[in-house]
Amino acid sequence: MARTQGSHAQITGPRIREAALHLFAEHGFAAVSMRQIAAKVGVQAGALYNYTPDKQALLFSLLKGHMDELLSAAPDQTTASPQDRLETFVKFHIEFHLQRHEAVFISYMELRNLTAENFEVIESLRRAYENRLETILRDGVAAGVFSVHDTKLTTMAIIAMLTGITTWYRDGGRLSADEVSATYCDMVRKAVGAL
Amino acid sequence: MARTQGSHAQITGPRIREAALHLFAEHGFAAVSMRQIAAKVGVQAGALYNYTPDKQALLFSLLKGHMDELLSAAPDQTTASPQDRLETFVKFHIEFHLQRHEAVFISYMELRNLTAENFEVIESLRRAYENRLETILRDGVAAGVFSVHDTKLTTMAIIAMLTGITTWYRDGGRLSADEVSATYCDMVRKAVGAL
DNA sequence: GTCTATATCGAGATAGAC
DNA sequence: GTCTATCTCGATATAGAC
């Protein structure tokens, strides 16, 4: 991976983020050195500091980018029925998270390694995302089409169940992503007592 | 925490494990130093090596102990109905995991930091535990009292959903552990279409 | 069994040449 | 923008005295 000197501003930045993402997911933030990241990109360790003030900022930038992308990609179709919105949410959540299982992993795993301020930023984005689901559940209860005892608990239960898929699902396994998605959709529907 | 010299064999071992558990859960395995663990116990770093050959073995011992305890504590009442066995499993899982949320956390989090051999040991214990639940689901399907499309998927979904409670539940919150447990029990029952 | 002292290593980050 | 060289620090683990 060694390379000669030269300037590659536009391309090096994204490559650093990509390398860091993979390495953090594989070994954990604390276990990965700036030298390892640099080696994967093909630059020297010192060069990384043209792109990030320090290692912590690099981690935060990865998590923040992931959450921003999640929130802007999440469907927000307030006109459909609660049942349809729930199905759309579940399918979106599974597809989005399966495609980014490394980012999902470190977004949960490395929260401890954020400063208190950075942690608060990520946490509030996560809560905003959870609220999208809870709103669907609440609307369904109000409309009398869901049977849910506690919308907050059910929100947490559904999200944990769906995100858990990323810990074992890999392409080329026994079931396709669509099959998994359909089965989970069905379980969620039943769990909320959808009519 | 500094203390004078002396021999405390019977008590130091457990205290090291306890200190390591808390610190690993709080900061992550790679981020915790042997000096930190020693300081929390009140000994010098060198003394730890009377109890563990190295840091890796200390981690493995914690995870192995956790899984052994889980498997021996798990209920195994093969005579009851699938519905009752499912309810017993769910309640057991929640109670056991809530009481050990730090061990649960590192058992999932720090798998990457195990050697390949140690990893295999923990993984096979985890699979053995999952099989307990899958057997209940299969028996319920065979008896015609559960409506489950794929027992393996449903097993993973239920376990992820239940274990997820440990990420947010803390004593003294809005709901008691028993209330949470009852609500989740209900969701699981509905998700498997229990009669 | 615990201490102090230390060997060895690699970490994050910076300085200045090109 | 990247390189090489380096500062400073703290890590794991070991050795030998008590």
Side-chain angles (χ1 to χ4, degrees):
Chain A
M1 286 292 258
R3 50 172 293 281
T4 52
Q5 280 186 238
S7 235
H8 301 272
Q10 278 74 15
I11 193 166
T12 304
R15 287 186 40 148
I16 289 172
R17 295 167 54 82
E18 192 192 356
L21 179 71
H22 293 315
L23 288 170
F24 290 166
E26 189 174 354
H27 306 291
F29 172 75
V32 171
S33 70
M34 295 298 269
R35 283 174 177 77
Q36 276 177 275
I37 298 170
K40 192 149 184 163
V41 174
V43 297
Q44 293 299 314
L48 300 181
Y49 292 88
N50 291 317
Y51 299 91
T52 180
D54 53 33
K55 196 183 171 189
Q56 154 83 202
L58 178 55
L59 173 65
F60 176 65
S61 149
L62 291 175
L63 300 199
K64 177 74 161 55
H66 174 68
M67 293 308 298
D68 285 344
E69 200 187 356
L70 173 64
L71 279 163
S72 58
D76 195 18
Q77 37 161 6
T78 42
T79 62
S81 71
Q83 295 99 321
D84 286 350
R85 285 158 62 203
L86 180 62
E87 176 172 335
T88 301
F89 181 92
V90 168
K91 293 202 162 137
F92 161 77
H93 186 94
I94 292 175
E95 186 185 5
F96 185 92
H97 285 72
L98 280 189
Q99 286 171 348
R100 294 164 182 79
H101 73 265
E102 290 185 324
V104 171
F105 192 58
I106 69 169
S107 288
Y108 172 55
M109 220 73 166
E110 307 297 356
L111 289 172
R112 301 170 299 184
N113 288 302
L114 294 176
T115 61
E117 282 168 359
N118 287 343
F119 176 80
E120 235 346 284
V121 172
I122 301 297
E123 274 297 284
S124 82
L125 292 171
R126 194 185 50 68
R127 279 193 297 268
Y129 180 70
E130 289 167 3
N131 284 339
R132 305 259 185 117
L133 173 56
E134 194 178 357
T135 299
I136 296 172
L137 296 181
R138 268 207 268 255
D139 290 351
V141 169
V145 295
F146 292 165
S147 168
V148 166
H149 178 250
D150 184 305
T151 55
K152 186 68 193 159
L153 241 57
T154 304
T155 297
M156 300 308 280
I158 291 174
I159 288 188
M161 179 170 127
L162 301 181
T163 306
I165 301 173
T166 62
T167 64
W168 55 264
Y169 178 86
R170 293 299 175 266
D171 286 329
R174 179 170 66 89
L175 299 166
S176 72
D178 281 349
E179 288 169 324
V180 171
S181 190
T183 300
Y184 271 74
C185 232
D186 193 51
M187 281 191 279
V188 168
R189 224 179 342 245
K190 286 195 282 184
V192 302
L195 294 182
Chain B
M1 286 292 258
R3 51 172 290 281
T4 52
Q5 283 184 236
S7 235
H8 301 270
Q10 278 74 14
I11 192 167
T12 303
R15 287 186 40 151
I16 289 172
R17 295 167 55 81
E18 193 193 356
L21 179 70
H22 293 314
L23 288 169
F24 290 166
E26 189 174 352
H27 306 290
F29 174 75
V32 171
S33 71
M34 296 297 269
R35 283 177 176 80
Q36 277 177 275
I37 298 170
K40 192 149 182 163
V41 174
V43 297
Q44 293 299 313
L48 299 181
Y49 292 87
N50 290 317
Y51 299 91
T52 181
D54 52 33
K55 197 184 171 189
Q56 154 84 203
L58 178 55
L59 174 64
F60 176 65
S61 149
L62 291 175
L63 299 200
K64 177 75 160 53
H66 175 68
M67 293 309 297
D68 285 344
E69 200 187 357
L70 173 64
L71 278 163
S72 58
D76 195 18
Q77 36 162 6
T78 42
T79 60
S81 71
Q83 295 99 319
D84 286 350
R85 285 158 62 203
L86 180 61
E87 176 171 338
T88 301
F89 181 93
V90 169
K91 293 202 163 138
F92 161 77
H93 185 95
I94 293 174
E95 185 184 7
F96 186 91
H97 285 72
L98 280 189
Q99 286 171 348
R100 294 163 181 79
H101 73 266
E102 290 185 323
V104 171
F105 191 60
I106 70 169
S107 289
Y108 170 56
M109 225 67 170
E110 308 296 356
L111 289 172
R112 303 170 297 184
N113 288 301
L114 294 176
T115 62
E117 282 169 359
N118 286 344
F119 177 80
E120 236 344 285
V121 172
I122 301 298
E123 274 297 285
S124 83
L125 292 170
R126 194 185 49 70
R127 280 192 297 267
Y129 180 70
E130 289 168 2
N131 284 339
R132 305 260 185 115
L133 173 55
E134 193 178 359
T135 298
I136 296 173
L137 296 182
R138 269 208 267 257
D139 290 350
V141 169
V145 295
F146 292 165
S147 168
V148 166
H149 178 251
D150 184 305
T151 55
K152 187 68 193 158
L153 240 57
T154 304
T155 298
M156 299 309 279
I158 291 173
I159 288 188
M161 179 169 126
L162 300 182
T163 307
I165 302 173
T166 62
T167 64
W168 55 264
Y169 179 85
R170 292 302 175 264
D171 286 329
R174 178 170 67 90
L175 298 166
S176 73
D178 282 348
E179 288 169 325
V180 171
S181 189
T183 300
Y184 271 74
C185 231
D186 193 52
M187 282 190 280
V188 169
R189 221 177 346 243
K190 287 195 282 183
V192 302
L195 295 181

